[in-house]
Structure formats: C-alpha cells, structure tokens
Amino acid sequence: MRRAFFLTFEGIDGCGKSTQAKRLEQALTERLFPVTHTFEPGGTLLGRKLRTILVHDELNLSLFSEVLLFAADRRQDIDEIINPALERGDIVIGERFADSSVAYQGIAGKVGKERVERLMDIVTSGLVPDLTLLLDIDPRVSLDRKIDLDRIEQRGLFLDVVRHAFLDMATSQPERWVTIDAARPMDDVFSDVLKAVLKRLE
Ligand SMILES: Nc1ncnc2c1ncn2[C@@H]1O[C@H](COP(=O)(O)OP(=O)(O)OP(=O)(O)O)[C@@H](O)[C@H]1O
Ligand SMILES: [Mg+2]
C-alpha cells in the first residue's frame, strides 16, 4: 500500500494540531500505511536550533526576517524529511506548512499575502499539500487550553485575525482544504479528521 500523499494540519496556536497529528499517525500506521510525521519549526536539527531563536523575544526579529527564518526551516524540512518520504511513497503528516506563513506573517503580520505567497512558492519549489485540515477554533478557547489569562487578550486579538485568514484561505481552495470544528472534544475532532483523510486516500 504505497501512495505518496502530503497532508498538513493548520490552525492557530493550541487548536490541537499536535494532538490530532499524533492520533492520525497512529491510526494510519495501524491500517498499515507507511507514515512520516513532521512538524515545524523543529523537525530537523536546524529546525530545533531555529525554534530556540524564534522564541527568544530579545532578538527583536523584524517581521520579514522572521518569515525568512521560518522559510529556512521549511526548506530544510522539505529536503531532509518531506521529499525523501514522498519519494518512498509515504503519507507525510505535517504540522504547519507554507499556509501558516501566509496567514500569520503575510495576512495578520502585514508582510503582505502576495509577497509571502511568492516567497513560499520559491522556498517550497511549488510543493503544495494534497490535503490541508484546518482545525478551526476561537482563540479564547485554544489559548485557555495553553496559557494564563493575561496573555489571552493581547494574543487573542492577533490570533482572531489569523483565524479568519485561515478560514478565507480554506474557502478559496475547497478542493484542498477541509475545515473542522476543533472546539469539540478530542475524539469528535479526530473522527472528522480520520474521515476526511480516509476519504481522500481511498
Ligand atoms: N479537543 C480538545 N479539547 C480540549 N483540549 C484539547 C483538545 N485538543 C487538544 N487539547 C489540549 O490543548 C493543548 C494544545 O493542544 P496541541 O498541542 O495539540 O495544539 P497545537 O495546535 O499543536 O498547538 P501549537 O500551535 O502550540 O503547536 C494541549 O494541552 C492539548 O492536550
Ligand atoms: Mg503543536
């Protein structure tokens, strides 16, 4: 059962990408699909190093240099993990990909949607996921899962813009994106995730 397939999870901070990706990896492996699971930033050694840079506020990264660091990580992930796995015929599960840069830095971060899209096209050599699962959730719900209430208000406003950027992207490319209500219990979310993936694989 070898059929290269690239699927990604997208959505705002804490929407459940890692939780669902892990469960999907397990479910597909049980069904004997060869699976490679990657995430960003951090799937490669370069990614792990960049991750520590990207979370250090004192660096005062400009928006555009942040885009470029994410881009460097993404390219390394493609060369080191994603492309070799697709060449083997694996199903590749990614947590975030170019769409996150478009939503976070391009649209919500104001670098410009088209500018980030053009850059991503170069960085990925045109690699686009076969399927993207958008785990849609109100930031007030997802942030509540993760951090203290103080940060929720400032980050929440930004994430609300990101959330709607993702929703617009999903609406404009319905053949690639499936939007899933991620505010429900994990099992309910996962049942929709698995259904969407199996439908596309079969
Ligand atoms: N459906 C759910 N209901 C309640 N809690 C959940 C649900 N899904 C995930 N969680 C919890 O919310 C937190 C964030 O989930 P997770 O790490 O999967 O999100 P993420 O999208 O990967 O976050 P990040 O953007 O930081 O990578 C975790 O503590 C997880 O256990
Ligand atoms: Mg995660």
Side-chain angles (χ1 to χ4, degrees):
M1 230 189 305
R2 303 239 133 193
R3 180 184 181 289
F5 191 84
F6 181 29
L7 76 93
T8 54
F9 284 93
E10 293 286 0
I12 61 170
D13 310 13
C15 66
K17 297 176 295 297
S18 300
T19 304
Q20 297 296 325
K22 227 171 283 163
R23 291 187 66 168
L24 181 62
E25 176 184 11
Q26 198 181 353
L28 291 177
T29 304
E30 278 164 11
R31 285 170 174 76
L32 304 178
F33 287 104
V35 178
T36 293
H37 177 183
T38 185
F39 61 95
E40 61 175 49
T44 64
L45 181 57
L46 175 72
R48 285 194 289 283
K49 295 200 168 183
L50 286 177
R51 195 181 182 93
T52 68
I53 292 175
L54 286 163
V55 298
H56 275 83
D57 295 339
E58 77 269 18
L59 286 175
N60 237 326
L61 284 177
S62 74
L63 276 177
F64 204 80
S65 56
E66 189 183 278
V67 172
L68 294 173
L69 287 178
F70 277 115
D73 168 55
R74 185 161 303 135
R75 183 66 207 203
Q76 190 69 22
D77 197 32
I78 289 172
D79 290 336
E80 209 176 300
I81 297 174
I82 298 175
N83 273 345
L86 291 175
E87 277 155 25
R88 286 195 300 272
D90 282 11
I91 295 170
V92 176
I93 301 173
E95 294 180 35
R96 296 196 183 283
F97 198 61
D99 298 308
S100 273
S101 294
V102 174
Y104 277 79
Q105 284 89 29
I107 300 171
K110 313 250 186 286
V111 177
K113 180 171 187 267
E114 273 78 38
R115 210 144 60 114
V116 176
E117 278 175 347
R118 259 188 292 150
L119 179 67
M120 288 305 125
D121 189 45
I122 294 167
V123 167
T124 62
S125 298
L127 177 67
V128 176
D130 298 296
L131 173 65
T132 298
L133 301 170
L134 172 57
L135 301 181
D136 178 54
I137 194 166
D138 186 319
R140 278 168 301 195
V141 178
S142 69
L143 288 178
D144 202 29
R145 292 174 179 171
K146 286 188 64 156
I147 52 172
D148 59 286
L149 287 162
D150 265 7
R151 274 202 60 204
I152 291 182
E153 267 185 53
Q154 30 165 318
R155 185 73 178 157
L157 291 173
F158 176 77
L159 288 181
D160 209 45
V161 180
V162 177
R163 178 193 189 191
H164 286 95
F166 276 132
L167 284 170
D168 287 346
M169 290 158 76
T171 308
S172 70
Q173 284 183 286
E175 63 295 339
R176 168 158 78 94
W177 292 71
V178 173
T179 301
I180 292 169
D181 174 5
R184 297 168 298 154
M186 288 177 200
D187 288 351
D188 297 358
V189 178
F190 184 65
S191 140
D192 284 2
V193 165
L194 189 61
K195 217 183 297 165
V197 171
L198 291 178
K199 187 173 158 208
R200 291 296 298 269
L201 288 176
E202 278 150 14

